[in-house]
Amino acid sequence: MSVIKINQKAYENNLKNIIKKVGNSSKIISVFKDNAYGHGAKILAPIAKSLGINFVAVKNEKEAYNLENFFENILILSHRPHGNENPKFIYTINEISKIQEYKIGTKIHLKIDTGMHRNGVYMENIEDAFLKIDKAKLNLEGIFTHFSSADEMDASFFVQREKFFQAKSLTQKRYENLIYHSYNSSALFRNQEIPQDEFFRIGIAQFGYGDKNLEKVLSLYAHKLSERILKSGQSVGYGRSFSTEKNLKIATYDLGYADGLFRYNGQGGLFLANNKKILGKISMDSFSCEDCGDEVCVFNDAEIWADFFNTISYEILVKLHPDIPRVLI
Ligand SMILES: *Cc1c(COP(=O)(O)O)cnc(C)c1O
């Protein structure tokens, strides 16, 4: 059975590193969306809690219910209002025209579109949104924005930050004791001065990506299904994309693209953590390689697979099937 090993110490060290950077664990909104980026929300929740995290962000209500016994504050990022919102959760307003569709009294954070143009209310419509929120008798607890290019050294980050400052001061004229947040992992790790009056929504950095002082938390293991000697000239797997020039002891392991691996087509050289090549194409439920014993580490750094597949570590991680057991090491 394939397994995902979660390194508890690494996760704790990363969180401690982040807490130190922001000054206080109460200013962190741990982003736990999509099963904590594939790491397993339920397995990490008690660890985060033990380090003082009491605020998380998730994708939808299902994820919020999954964590309701762990955290006091749960912000739902991608909610479509249905009028029966749970008073325990905090819901994002992504769209000004849907404000009246939330249940009276619902706790909300208003998202401001400062330049990403994905979700949220335009700067010029903030006052209008406030009127609608008051009319719908919603309980505004915070405002936030999201940067489109926090990981790049271009000017847009500063433009968006400036707009959010303006949004904050508009809000402060009308409401007291709201919370504000804009920084994600890469904004926090830009090594610039950080705002003192904000919370921080931290996702990928918790898991060890984005700064050299962080440690990778997740490693993915597969287990041997069978072994054989591949004779010179024989091939393994669909399409015969790999064939050996000399006799080779190979083995087939129990992890494939149905488990969330990207489908490698056998071209270009994709390597396991031990630097052995995957031989031939990845199948739905298995892959083959030189015999590496009963258990093999597929990867312990998603960046390597992300580079190979021309994507980002986020995608490699969240694709890992929720049915793969997650265990703490
Ligand atoms: C996913 C997400 C984050 C976390 O981003 P990281 O880059 O993983 O830190 C923060 N805010 C919003 C709105 C998100 O969707």
Side-chain angles (χ1 to χ4, degrees), residues 31 33 37 77 111 118 146 184-185 201-204 314:
V31 181
K33 68 190 180 196
Y37 292 41
L77 293 168
K111 190 163 191 182
R118 182 173 70 174
H146 195 49
N184 66 349
S185 298
R201 294 187 312 276
I202 305 302
I204 196 90
Y314 298 71

Side-chain angles (χ1 to χ4, degrees), residues 2 10 15 37 61 109 113 124 185 202-203 221 247 254 262:
S2 50
L15 275 184
Y37 292 41
E61 287 184 309
H109 282 198
D113 180 1
E124 55 269 34
S185 298
I202 305 302
Y221 289 80
N247 290 1
D254 62 349
F262 276 53

Side-chain angles (χ1 to χ4, degrees), residues 211-229:
D211 190 82
K212 60 175 186 340
N213 294 318
L214 301 170
E215 304 165 43
K216 307 288 186 286
V217 171
L218 177 150
S219 46
L220 174 66
Y221 289 80
H223 293 100
K224 195 196 285 189
L225 291 167
S226 76
E227 60 189 55
R228 70 208 60 243
I229 304 289

Side-chain angles (χ1 to χ4, degrees), residues 80-316:
R80 282 171 50 84
H82 46 53
N84 194 24
E85 282 71 25
N86 188 321
K88 281 172 68 168
F89 303 144
I90 306 162
Y91 293 82
T92 299
I93 301 276
N94 281 311
E95 166 60 47
I96 192 165
S97 68
K98 291 191 187 292
I99 288 174
Q100 73 279 10
E101 295 176 26
Y102 290 75
K103 188 175 177 175
I104 290 178
T106 298
K107 295 193 276 187
I108 54 159
H109 282 198
L110 177 66
K111 190 163 191 182
I112 313 292
D113 180 1
T114 54
M116 178 140 177
H117 305 321
R118 182 173 70 174
N119 282 313
V121 170
Y122 285 129
M123 294 294 290
E124 55 269 34
N125 295 335
I126 293 178
E127 308 263 16
D128 190 25
F130 290 158
L131 291 175
K132 289 188 160 75
I133 286 166
D134 293 348
K135 186 153 170 256
K137 299 195 169 61
L138 304 183
N139 184 3
L140 182 65
E141 294 195 336
I143 69 165
F144 72 107
T145 195
H146 195 49
F147 295 112
S148 64
S149 317
D151 53 348
E152 288 163 33
M153 280 298 153
D154 68 2
S156 74
F157 173 76
F158 300 98
V159 173
Q160 283 193 263
R161 203 171 61 157
E162 184 51 39
K163 286 192 175 163
F164 192 57
F165 285 150
Q166 292 167 22
K168 275 196 271 191
S169 64
L170 261 180
T171 311
Q172 279 153 356
K173 284 194 193 121
R174 191 177 172 110
Y175 300 95
E176 278 179 352
N177 301 324
L178 294 203
I179 72 160
Y180 302 94
H181 45 107
S182 60
Y183 279 43
N184 66 349
S185 298
S186 46
L188 180 65
F189 282 88
R190 283 175 82 104
N191 285 323
Q192 303 226 341
E193 233 178 282
I194 56 167
Q196 294 304 308
D197 61 344
E198 290 193 17
F199 284 35
F200 299 85
R201 294 187 312 276
I202 305 302
I204 196 90
Q206 296 170 85
F207 311 115
Y209 294 84
D211 190 82
K212 60 175 186 340
N213 294 318
L214 301 170
E215 304 165 43
K216 307 288 186 286
V217 171
L218 177 150
S219 46
L220 174 66
Y221 289 80
H223 293 100
K224 195 196 285 189
L225 291 167
S226 76
E227 60 189 55
R228 70 208 60 243
I229 304 289
L230 203 61
K231 297 215 176 82
S232 175
Q234 288 185 325
S235 64
V236 55
Y238 285 114
R240 300 170 187 273
S241 67
F242 169 82
S243 52
T244 181
E245 288 160 10
K246 57 176 194 319
N247 290 1
L248 189 65
K249 187 168 180 215
I250 64 161
T252 294
Y253 290 85
D254 62 349
L255 199 69
Y257 62 80
D259 301 296
L261 291 183
F262 276 53
R263 182 182 166 279
Y264 171 54
N265 66 5
Q267 308 292 315
L270 178 59
F271 291 88
L272 301 165
N274 63 7
N275 279 327
K276 298 280 187 207
K277 256 188 193 174
I278 291 180
L279 301 178
K281 296 181 183 179
I282 289 185
S283 295
M284 194 181 291
D285 296 314
S286 65
F287 68 85
S288 304
C289 58
E290 224 178 284
D291 190 350
C292 302
D294 195 50
E295 180 180 82
V296 67
C297 181
V298 177
F299 62 74
N300 47 26
D301 180 354
E303 208 75 65
I304 292 169
W305 279 51
D307 287 348
F308 184 86
F309 288 104
N310 197 19
T311 180
I312 51 177
S313 49
Y314 298 71
E315 192 183 12
I316 299 293

